[in-house]
Amino acid sequence: MTAVFWFRRDLRLGDNPALLAACACGPVLPLFVLDPALWGPAGPSRRAYLAASLRALDASLRADGGRLAVVSGDPVRRVVEAARRVGATEVHVAADHGPYGARRDREVEAALAEADVALVRTGSAYAVSPGRVRKADGSAYQVFTPFSRAWAEHGWRGPVEAPSGVDWRHLAEGTADLPRPRLPGGLELPEAGEDAARCRWSAFLDTGVAGYDELRDRPDLPATSRMSHHLKWGEIHPRTLLADLAPLHSVGARTYRTELAWREFYADVLDRRPDTARDYLRPEYARMPYDEPDERFEAWCVGRTGFPVVDAAMRQLRASGWMHNRMRMVVASFLVKDLHVEWQHGARHFLHWLVDGDLASNNHGWQWTAGCGTDAAPFFRVFNPTAQGRRFDPDGAYVRRWVPELADPERIPDAHDPSAEARHRVGYPLAILDHGVERREALQRWETIRR
């Protein structure tokens, strides 16, 4: 009995229960569908990284005697066609809990059923699939801390081995070449693929996890795991990370587990409230006065606000497809509370450029900073970007790396607050706003929805 394994956000062979389920049936066609609904809106970072990850997956399959079949078009049609061509009776997937993915899978499932082919879901991209962690009365957790306790108590299965001795099937014709998108000048992405993910994780376990709790907010130091893009594309599964963390009892290991729990919490919230991918979780915040994006928004996008730490972070995003998490909060606060622009504009910009652009984590992270999400930071907590820079980038190394105008300490002694004369000398802009003034304005606007 032949099966199709449809890769999506699980671009690996190891620790892939859904793939093992497909292999238990007999011969397997490994399939990836370039879905225009996902490929079209993706920015250059995500396209290029996905293409590199697919090439790495194809290389792993070829080393085992297979190769990845890549087809382009509507999955409802293309998955059914592929199943028919190899005589498959089942198509295996890891469940997708995103708003689009869940709807797409229901449509594919119906089309397959008409062809007498079953869609079989096994596991998901999460240690505990969304919808599984619930209160005793069956209702969902609304805030993170009780969710995280219940999530840990629920537990998760251990990692599984990669399949071996698989009779891989191929599509003789009709497949597409693996894409090679062109990157904008200056954009450099991290290495993609399952091997790269495991190598990076191993290095973090050896050198970074013990001090993670103390150093993770320092963008000037290589103190984070940089695993977010590998998790986004399923090049490694969170249960693999959790299994490796289990015997570790440092505060850093516990803190890292908590970060994984946040990722699963946001996925659970989005699964329960798919509307919050675009709309406010706390709808009263939609009534607050906001400004339309203008030239100041454009300055934020390209890192020319005149606030060095904001500009460093936005330039890091454009140059690497990634941004340090502390900096994500700082620039989000700046957009919503200094520029008074709605969070959705920033969330879209992030998803366009981030390699790790995950809808649930990104958009609910933005809502957290904007004060309108779960466990939201109080709206009156308005980050002072200069103070944040001094606190978390004390020597100015992060700013000097990403804002080359400010790189020379002899010409720019204070990277976080250069004088007007120094800015003019090196061609760095004056601040586009007065933070104190805009903080008061933000709080006045907030008052309008509290009455």
Side-chain angles (χ1 to χ4, degrees):
M1 184 168 62
T2 300
V4 172
F5 184 75
W6 178 15
F7 286 97
R8 288 99 70 86
R9 284 182 54 183
D10 46 8
L11 304 182
R12 65 186 185 280
L13 301 184
D15 192 12
N16 195 331
L19 177 59
L20 284 182
C23 294
C25 296
V28 176
L29 170 71
L31 177 72
F32 186 86
V33 181
L34 282 172
D35 183 351
L38 296 176
W39 183 260
S45 310
R46 255 192 303 163
R47 284 188 179 187
Y49 189 88
L50 171 58
S53 187
L54 291 173
R55 288 194 292 273
L57 175 61
D58 182 58
S60 296
L61 286 165
R62 288 177 183 271
D64 194 47
R67 65 174 181 265
L68 183 65
V70 178
V71 298
S72 181
D74 181 357
V76 175
R77 176 174 61 87
R78 299 298 271 161
V79 173
V80 174
E81 287 178 352
R84 282 175 169 160
R85 287 174 61 184
V86 296
T89 56
E90 294 179 348
V91 172
H92 287 256
V93 297
D96 191 327
H97 289 271
Y100 170 77
R103 183 175 67 252
R104 172 206 61 204
D105 285 359
R106 289 192 295 269
E107 294 173 358
V108 170
E109 185 174 31
L112 286 169
E114 292 182 2
D116 293 323
V117 179
L119 181 68
V120 181
R121 299 173 177 85
T122 305
S124 71
Y126 304 97
V128 182
S129 294
R132 298 290 297 276
V133 177
R134 289 293 181 262
K135 300 178 184 177
D137 63 3
S139 62
Y141 287 96
Q142 305 297 315
V143 294
F144 172 72
T145 299
F147 171 90
S148 65
R149 287 195 293 262
W151 173 80
E153 291 170 2
H154 181 284
W156 38 82
R157 67 187 299 172
V160 296
E161 296 296 324
S164 60
V166 182
D167 180 6
W168 299 108
R169 293 300 167 92
H170 314 295
L171 292 180
E173 56 185 25
T175 57
D177 292 332
L178 286 170
R180 292 184 177 274
R182 296 180 62 182
L183 285 175
L187 180 59
E188 296 183 6
L189 301 182
E191 185 179 359
E194 182 176 4
D195 290 344
R198 289 183 176 272
C199 183
R200 180 178 288 277
W201 176 240
S202 179
F204 179 69
L205 287 176
D206 288 343
T207 63
V209 69
Y212 179 73
D213 57 307
E214 295 181 353
L215 300 176
R216 65 195 177 104
D217 280 328
R218 291 282 300 273
D220 57 326
L221 301 176
T224 62
S225 70
R226 297 293 297 267
M227 293 299 296
S228 55
H229 52 285
H230 295 306
L231 287 167
K232 154 69 182 178
W233 296 108
E235 296 168 334
I236 197 167
H237 197 278
R239 71 178 149 255
T240 302
L241 278 54
L242 288 162
D244 289 339
L245 292 169
L248 306 180
H249 302 292
S250 66
V251 177
R254 291 198 300 272
T255 302
Y256 197 91
R257 279 192 290 268
T258 300
E259 293 302 304
L260 291 175
W262 270 108
R263 178 177 182 268
E264 308 234 334
F265 175 59
Y266 282 151
D268 190 80
V269 173
L270 186 60
D271 180 61
R272 173 170 51 88
R273 288 282 308 277
D275 58 300
T276 60
R278 303 289 182 264
D279 296 330
Y280 290 81
L281 185 73
R282 299 171 64 184
E284 65 269 24
Y285 279 81
R287 302 196 305 269
M288 194 162 67
Y290 296 98
D291 294 346
E292 288 298 315
D294 57 14
E295 66 278 0
R296 298 197 308 177
F297 173 74
E298 293 303 320
W300 177 85
C301 289
V302 298
R304 296 282 292 175
T305 68
F307 287 85
V309 79
V310 172
D311 294 342
M314 298 305 293
R315 296 186 194 189
Q316 180 185 32
L317 172 64
R318 294 286 289 262
S320 67
W322 185 81
M323 186 191 294
H324 188 278
N325 188 61
R326 168 58 59 172
M327 295 299 99
R328 297 188 197 204
M329 292 187 282
V330 170
V331 302
S333 177
F334 189 88
L335 181 71
V336 175
K337 299 173 185 179
D338 284 87
L339 295 181
H340 317 297
V341 171
E342 288 189 275
W343 65 268
Q344 293 96 328
H345 295 284
R348 281 194 294 270
H349 183 79
F350 269 32
L351 285 177
H352 181 80
W353 288 102
L354 283 171
V355 169
D356 65 6
D358 175 86
L359 184 65
S361 293
N362 181 69
N363 288 27
H364 279 282
W366 270 90
Q367 295 212 48
W368 184 90
T369 303
C372 59
T374 61
D375 292 85
F379 192 86
F380 58 77
R381 184 188 298 165
V382 182
F383 286 140
N384 180 317
T386 303
Q388 289 282 308
R390 293 197 193 284
R391 179 180 177 185
F392 297 110
D393 181 30
D395 299 323
Y398 177 73
V399 165
R400 295 187 194 281
R401 176 181 180 186
W402 295 108
V403 185
E405 303 98 294
L406 309 180
D408 186 349
E410 293 187 1
R411 303 183 73 191
I412 310 292
D414 186 352
H416 290 296
D417 192 15
S419 67
E421 188 276 333
R423 291 168 185 257
H424 177 74
R425 186 168 61 244
V426 298
Y428 182 67
L430 296 172
I432 61 174
L433 53 83
D434 183 315
H435 171 71
V437 170
E438 301 305 340
R439 179 183 182 278
R440 291 191 291 274
E441 173 66 19
L443 297 180
Q444 288 173 4
R445 296 187 186 203
W446 180 52
E447 287 294 332
T448 66
I449 65 171
R450 299 181 68 219
R451 297 169 187 158

